[in-house]
Amino acid sequence: MADYYGLLGVTSAASQDEIKKAYRKQAMKYHPDKNKGDAESEAKFKEVGKAYEALSDPEKRKMYDQYGEAAFQNGGGGGAGGFGGGFNGAGGFGGGFEDIFESFFGGGGSGGGRSPRPQQVHGADIQTEVSFQLKDVLQKQTVDLKVRRAEPCEKCDGTGSASKKAPTTCSTCRGAGRVQVSQGFFAMTQTCPKCHGTGKMVTDPCHTCRGESTVVKTVPISAVIPAGVEDGMKLRLAQEGHAAPFKGVRGDLFIHIRVRNDSRFMRERDNLYAKLPLSFAKAVLGGEIEVETLDSKKTIKLPEGVQPGQRIKIDGDGIPNVHSHKRGNLILEAHIEVPKKTSTKAKDLLKAYAQEMKEKI
């Protein structure tokens, strides 16, 4: 699956302006007019165009963050990656190399045809990270976060207007937030330069938010982390991200989970694995032995004749399954320890044992 952020050379937390700049840099690098006859560059140009088409649209970007490239399959995507007819000569972009950037980043006005449908503005998502020790994931955890995010301006009640009047519809994009520009045979869209994608206009800007309708604040958020989470998991808190301008839909908060290793155990999904050191006598004779679990100690009964590498399973002392909450198992692998020094009496006993077993010493 293609990594759209990686193709543009940005992280998933990049702003729309950073994505635009990154696209322009990559598109200039791989543009066919600069790499004539280079099929690899042409393919790369299509890929970065497809990535920009998805990430430059807040709604499509949100779908990509949630579902990946699958969000645009079966007719869901399309866009810049689908340019056809070649890139050179009459089948190209008319005026050549620089004209494509005029279409995407400046110049032009709204295209003809039917009026674009106004679309709801969404706030940006927020990414944060929390870290746990392995034993912490045995229970659900409540973490208290401090998040800097856009909040509706209290001074103007989120209207962006000093008089608290509702904003008017942008006359350029007619509320759509995007305008269509044409270049030869192609029609493309870009963020409306007048309203910056909000679809709204304020005639008397609020002095606190300067007409933006939101201000940045640090807010406390409590998040419940379920038991059994694994390192690398990402949890989504719906509508806990940045507030959208003019009371649109708030973005989401994504919490990246980090679980630190425990030197005593190796985790494999819901099971834990550990070494079980045994003396020769204990391995031969069996009996009760105290073992260490992740959260306590437990006495178990060993069978006689435990072999090196033999695995002994303790049910229910692993990690809870994040969905079913049923705990996995603790699996101990026997390691027979041979003492480097023994007493004379111990040696005599071992010699007697060897004679009994008809071993030559």
Side-chain angles (χ1 to χ4, degrees):
M1 182 179 75
D3 176 6
Y4 286 172
Y5 291 105
L7 283 169
L8 298 181
V10 297
T11 67
S12 58
S15 66
Q16 293 300 117
D17 188 55
E18 289 172 332
I19 287 174
K20 179 191 289 187
K21 290 178 181 177
Y23 168 72
R24 183 165 188 171
K25 179 179 178 181
Q26 295 288 9
M28 290 181 70
K29 178 179 178 181
Y30 294 110
H31 196 283
D33 283 357
K34 286 188 66 176
N35 303 274
K36 295 184 183 298
D38 187 339
E40 186 176 343
S41 292
E42 181 175 324
K44 197 77 171 179
F45 181 76
K46 291 181 180 181
E47 289 179 4
V48 297
K50 184 177 179 181
Y52 178 73
E53 199 275 341
L55 300 182
S56 63
D57 184 301
E59 184 66 25
K60 289 183 179 179
R61 181 179 181 181
K62 187 173 182 180
M63 290 174 64
Y64 175 76
D65 287 341
Q66 189 167 1
Y67 302 109
E69 196 176 10
F72 310 117
Q73 294 174 355
N74 300 323
F83 292 139
F87 296 87
N88 299 314
F93 286 109
F97 181 61
E98 293 299 330
D99 288 350
I100 179 65
F101 297 107
E102 283 297 308
S103 298
F104 272 112
F105 302 109
S110 58
R114 61 185 179 183
S115 176
R117 181 197 301 178
Q119 55 184 358
Q120 197 167 22
V121 179
H122 287 259
D125 295 332
I126 297 174
Q127 311 281 338
T128 190
E129 181 178 295
V130 294
S131 180
F132 300 102
Q133 295 183 12
L134 184 59
K135 66 179 181 179
D136 294 335
V137 307
L138 294 178
Q139 309 287 338
K140 70 177 181 181
Q141 303 286 333
T142 300
V143 295
D144 295 321
L145 306 171
K146 289 188 179 295
V147 177
R148 281 185 62 78
R149 68 183 188 186
E151 292 289 311
C153 177
E154 295 179 357
K155 185 72 174 179
C156 64
D157 292 337
T159 63
S161 168
S163 61
K164 298 185 180 181
K165 292 180 181 179
T168 59
T169 301
C170 175
S171 58
T172 299
C173 65
R174 287 167 283 180
R178 301 180 71 79
V179 292
Q180 189 179 77
V181 294
S182 298
Q183 179 67 44
F185 293 104
F186 301 100
M188 292 163 283
T189 60
Q190 67 180 33
T191 300
C192 177
K194 188 171 184 180
C195 67
H196 305 293
T198 65
K200 308 288 185 181
M201 295 296 297
V202 176
T203 56
D204 57 335
C206 166
H207 295 298
T208 300
C209 66
R210 299 180 182 180
E212 299 292 333
S213 81
T214 61
V215 292
V216 176
K217 293 182 178 180
T218 299
V219 297
I221 296 177
S222 291
V224 176
I225 310 298
V229 291
E230 294 186 55
D231 183 67
M233 277 187 169
K234 184 166 69 171
L235 302 181
R236 171 176 169 262
L237 272 61
Q239 297 194 22
E240 288 290 356
H242 290 291
F246 309 114
K247 302 181 181 180
V249 179
R250 187 184 282 275
D252 299 330
L253 172 63
F254 289 92
I255 301 176
H256 296 262
I257 304 297
R258 294 288 176 259
V259 180
R260 296 190 289 274
N261 292 328
D262 188 308
S263 59
R264 301 169 299 166
F265 302 96
M266 183 187 76
R267 179 179 181 177
E268 189 175 285
R269 296 187 178 178
D270 302 334
N271 293 328
L272 291 174
Y273 294 82
K275 292 182 178 180
L276 177 62
L278 294 174
S279 67
F280 176 72
K282 185 64 73 172
V284 172
L285 301 176
E288 291 187 343
I289 184 173
E290 187 178 72
V291 298
E292 192 173 20
T293 67
L294 183 58
D295 55 340
S296 64
K297 291 184 178 180
K298 178 174 287 189
T299 300
I300 63 172
K301 188 172 182 179
L302 290 176
E304 292 183 1
V306 174
Q307 300 298 305
Q310 181 176 332
R311 289 185 169 184
I312 299 163
K313 183 176 71 173
I314 305 177
D315 294 331
D317 271 297
I319 301 293
N321 183 278
V322 73
H323 300 295
S324 69
H325 309 300
K326 180 181 178 181
R327 287 187 69 167
N329 304 316
L330 172 60
I331 299 169
L332 304 173
E333 185 176 277
H335 286 255
I336 312 303
E337 295 184 328
V338 178
K340 293 182 178 180
K341 293 183 179 181
T342 55
S343 66
T344 301
K345 184 177 180 180
K347 289 180 180 179
D348 291 339
L349 291 172
L350 285 171
K351 289 177 182 178
Y353 171 80
Q355 291 175 356
E356 179 68 22
M357 300 299 294
K358 295 181 171 54
E359 292 183 14
K360 291 184 179 180
I361 301 297

